[in-house]
Amino acid sequence: MEFSVVKALVRLVVVGVLAVQWGGMQAQDGSAIQAVDTITALEKRIVVADSTEDAVTGASLRLELAGLVKSKQGLKLLQEAAGLLDTTTLALELAMRVHRDLADRYTALHSNEKANREWAEVVRLSDVLRDEAAASVEQALFVNAVSQERMDSLTTAITLAKANHTNALERLSADHTRRQDLALYAMAGGLLMLVLSVVFFAVHIRKQGAVLKELRQEVTWLRMVTKKGTEPTVVASSITPVAPLNVELPEVVRPIEQPAAAPAIPFRDPEEDALLLALVRRRGVERLQTLREARAVGDNDKVVRVVHTMKPQLVSLDATYFQELCGRLVSTDPRTDPARWAEDLDRFETGMARMLELRG
């Protein structure tokens, strides 16, 4: 008998557990069906709000729907709601909620940059709400002061607000002036640098052009000197002729005396001489001054370099005067015979000065 009772109790417990499980499953199915119906209804209302261009209602419905769908779809709904509310200023609190939810979702997704941007928008909206609240409070105080005939407090408040506003305007004006001055200084500095750069490059290009022109003239002169060096010249023989024997020959075989041939004179091109003289005149004054300065300080090496530089040009113009003179100055040690070397230098300077003055 007791066993039957126990069996009956066990059956009742099992049936109760099954009934509870079945009820839970039915409740879950009912909740799921109710959630689907709610999502469908919200989506239809969103379509209606969008068709009527009601931004506030559309954003509010999207915020509500974002909590019922998956996270990715919810994030998209919140972004759409934020975009709608950014076009209006009628629902600042709703906009602040949307941006705060977006910041939380970006934080959960580890998108710190986007989260920071949304928090900055929340702070801005909070400041706007606080300013509006402060304005509302000030308006209420104003109305209260007027109603309670507290015009003195109202005047003080207006004066203080005006002073604060004036100070703020003065600060803004001073900051604007300072920024404008800095911009003008920067523009002036940039313009000055541009002008200096243009001048520098113009001078540099002009110097390079002058150097290039001078080098071309030097090359032309070297070619001319080389050409003159390769032309055949008549050189007097160093062999002393032997006197003819004084032999009496018959009148028939006596040689007929021929007149002595005139010495050959090398041909000189006037145009080449003029070009060489122009080169000497161009650099001669400067090098003559350099030679005199080097001679004054006792820099014999520099004196020899100047003579060696001018030798080809001077010899090409007046070989009789400068050939042997320049050769001695270049090849002779000044310490061997200082007096002779100084005398040769005097002759060299005199010859150069004569050529520059008389042929110029």
Side-chain angles (χ1 to χ4, degrees):
M1 185 69 180
E2 293 177 356
F3 179 76
S4 300
V5 173
V6 172
K7 241 176 125 180
L9 291 174
V10 170
R11 288 179 180 175
L12 289 175
V13 170
V14 171
V15 170
V17 171
L18 292 175
V20 170
Q21 292 180 352
W22 175 258
M25 293 175 62
Q26 292 295 326
Q28 290 179 357
D29 294 339
S31 299
I33 295 173
Q34 185 177 3
V36 172
D37 294 337
T38 302
I39 292 172
T40 304
L42 289 174
E43 289 177 347
K44 291 180 179 179
R45 293 174 62 187
I46 288 173
V47 173
V48 174
D50 291 344
S51 63
T52 58
E53 297 183 357
D54 189 355
V56 176
T57 303
S60 177
L61 292 173
R62 282 177 171 84
L63 178 62
E64 184 178 355
L65 181 59
L68 301 176
V69 296
K70 296 181 180 180
S71 59
K72 186 174 182 180
Q73 187 178 358
L75 179 62
K76 183 178 180 181
L77 290 170
L78 289 176
Q79 291 173 347
E80 293 175 356
L84 291 172
L85 293 174
D86 289 341
T87 61
T88 180
T89 58
L90 300 177
L92 296 179
E93 294 183 359
L94 180 61
M96 189 168 63
R97 285 179 55 197
V98 170
H99 285 288
R100 186 170 56 242
D101 289 352
L102 271 175
D104 293 335
R105 288 179 181 261
Y106 284 138
T107 303
L109 294 174
H110 302 290
S111 297
N112 295 328
E113 183 177 357
K114 294 181 179 180
N116 292 334
R117 187 166 60 246
E118 296 301 326
W119 281 119
E121 185 65 18
V122 170
V123 172
R124 188 188 70 80
L125 293 173
S126 300
D127 293 338
V128 173
L129 289 173
R130 184 173 64 251
D131 294 338
E132 289 183 357
S136 300
V137 171
E138 290 179 0
Q139 186 178 4
L141 291 174
F142 177 79
V143 173
N144 188 26
V146 172
S147 62
Q148 295 180 4
E149 296 181 357
R150 297 175 60 182
M151 295 303 298
D152 51 348
S153 300
L154 177 62
T155 304
T156 304
I158 292 175
T159 303
L160 181 61
K162 185 177 180 180
N164 292 333
H165 182 68
T166 303
N167 293 333
L169 287 178
E170 290 178 354
R171 289 195 298 270
L172 289 175
S173 178
D175 184 67
H176 177 72
T177 303
R178 182 178 61 83
R179 291 176 182 272
Q180 191 174 15
D181 293 340
L182 290 176
L184 291 176
Y185 293 152
M187 291 175 61
L191 184 59
L192 178 61
M193 292 298 295
L194 179 61
V195 172
L196 290 177
S197 300
V198 171
V199 172
F200 172 78
F201 282 111
V203 173
H204 180 70
I205 291 173
R206 183 175 299 176
K207 288 183 178 179
Q208 292 296 324
V211 172
L212 183 59
K213 183 178 180 180
E214 186 175 349
L215 288 176
R216 287 175 178 173
Q217 292 178 348
E218 293 286 346
V219 170
T220 303
W221 172 81
L222 289 174
R223 289 176 179 173
M224 293 170 56
V225 172
T226 304
K227 180 180 178 182
K228 284 181 173 292
T230 56
E231 291 178 353
T233 56
V234 178
V235 181
S237 176
S238 60
I239 302 174
T240 304
V242 180
L245 296 175
N246 189 9
V247 179
E248 292 293 336
L249 295 176
E251 193 67 27
V252 179
V253 296
R254 183 183 300 273
I256 300 174
E257 295 181 358
Q258 299 291 335
I265 300 175
F267 174 74
R268 300 183 64 90
D269 189 352
E271 294 183 359
E272 293 183 358
D273 288 345
L275 181 57
L276 288 174
L277 182 59
L279 290 173
V280 171
R281 291 180 59 192
R282 179 180 297 275
R283 301 296 297 274
V285 176
E286 177 185 354
R287 293 180 180 177
L288 180 59
Q289 183 64 29
T290 303
L291 182 141
R292 289 173 176 172
E293 293 175 355
R295 187 179 179 185
V297 298
D299 191 353
N300 295 330
D301 293 336
K302 192 170 186 179
V303 171
V304 172
R305 287 198 300 270
V306 173
V307 174
H308 184 73
T309 303
M310 294 298 298
K311 177 183 175 182
Q313 305 172 24
L314 297 175
V315 170
S316 297
L317 292 172
D318 192 352
T320 305
Y321 187 90
F322 288 102
Q323 179 74 40
E324 184 179 357
L325 178 62
C326 293
R328 284 200 307 270
L329 288 173
V330 172
S331 60
T332 303
D333 188 357
R335 294 169 296 182
T336 303
D337 191 354
R340 177 63 182 276
W341 203 69
E343 182 181 351
D344 288 341
L345 275 179
D346 293 337
R347 289 187 59 204
F348 182 81
E349 291 185 14
T350 303
M352 279 194 65
R354 175 179 55 79
M355 183 168 293
L356 294 175
E357 292 174 358
L358 297 180
R359 297 209 180 195

